[in-house]
Amino acid sequence: MSNLTYLVDRKWINREQVSKQQQTAHGTLVPSTTTWYCISSLGIEKLEGDSEYKPKEKFPGISLTATGQNVITLGDSNVVNVAFVDLYNELEKLKRAVAENPGMPAGEKLDVSADIESLKEQLAKQQPNSGIVKHLWGGIKSAVTVYHFIELVQAIDALVRPLLA
């Protein structure tokens, strides 16, 4: 029993209980509880190792401590220099707007989304490569301007401008 308690405490085993009532021949209700134990996802990972579906580290082997002064992690292990968080968030808004635009062909959506992701990758650096940023933003800007994303383009344009110097 102590071993089972240990496994439950470590969250390697889940305890599930099913409560019900049985009626006797005389009409009396008798409560009954059945307890089941099953292995949890943590227990499986302990026995078999990490799942191939578990999110991987974006930059393995590099210490990315979120001090609030240099690099932070957003969402699904997306690493961004704290100085570029506003730009990152605006690019994320643009990517969602592109994905939700019914008039934009799927192939164009994919191309623009891939370029947005590439630009966001530059934002993990202390000093993004201005040539890459300029090239990516130029392509993104010309592709989305056709679809009336003027406000987002203007907001991003203002945030990208300092990186192009």
Side-chain angles (χ1 to χ4, degrees):
M1 193 60 172
S2 64
N3 291 338
L4 184 59
T5 302
Y6 173 79
L7 294 173
V8 171
D9 286 346
R10 296 289 301 198
K11 298 188 180 358
W12 293 339
I13 300 283
N14 292 328
R15 178 184 308 158
E16 297 178 19
Q17 292 185 325
V18 177
S19 297
K20 58 184 175 181
Q21 296 181 350
Q22 291 285 62
Q23 189 169 7
T24 65
H26 301 293
T28 306
L29 293 176
V30 178
S32 169
T33 302
T34 304
T35 303
W36 302 88
Y37 295 91
C38 61
I39 191 165
S40 68
S41 58
L42 289 174
I44 291 171
E45 287 175 2
K46 180 68 176 167
L47 293 173
E48 297 179 3
D50 287 341
S51 165
E52 66 183 78
Y53 301 106
K54 188 174 182 178
K56 304 285 188 252
E57 279 188 59
K58 199 155 203 159
F59 300 104
I62 301 172
S63 175
L64 297 172
T65 307
T67 63
Q69 296 175 356
N70 49 12
V71 189
I72 58 172
T73 304
L74 300 173
D76 274 343
S77 302
N78 297 310
V79 177
V80 62
N81 186 312
V82 76
F84 309 123
V85 171
D86 292 338
L87 175 54
Y88 179 94
N89 290 333
E90 290 298 319
L91 287 168
E92 193 60 30
K93 284 182 197 173
L94 179 61
K95 185 178 168 194
R96 279 193 306 274
V98 164
E100 294 168 0
N101 186 319
M104 196 173 200
E108 197 171 351
K109 285 181 182 183
L110 179 61
D111 290 349
V112 169
S113 295
D115 284 348
I116 289 171
E117 285 301 312
S118 296
L119 183 50
K120 285 170 30 183
E121 289 290 325
Q122 284 291 311
L123 302 181
K125 296 174 153 186
Q126 289 180 10
Q127 186 58 49
N129 183 312
S130 61
I132 294 172
V133 171
K134 184 177 184 177
H135 177 75
L136 289 168
W137 177 237
I140 294 166
K141 187 176 174 179
S142 64
V144 300
T145 302
V146 175
Y147 295 98
H148 310 291
F149 296 116
I150 310 289
E151 289 177 20
L152 283 169
V153 167
Q154 288 174 340
I156 294 169
D157 221 20
L159 295 167
V160 165
R161 200 170 299 122
L163 299 177
L164 303 179

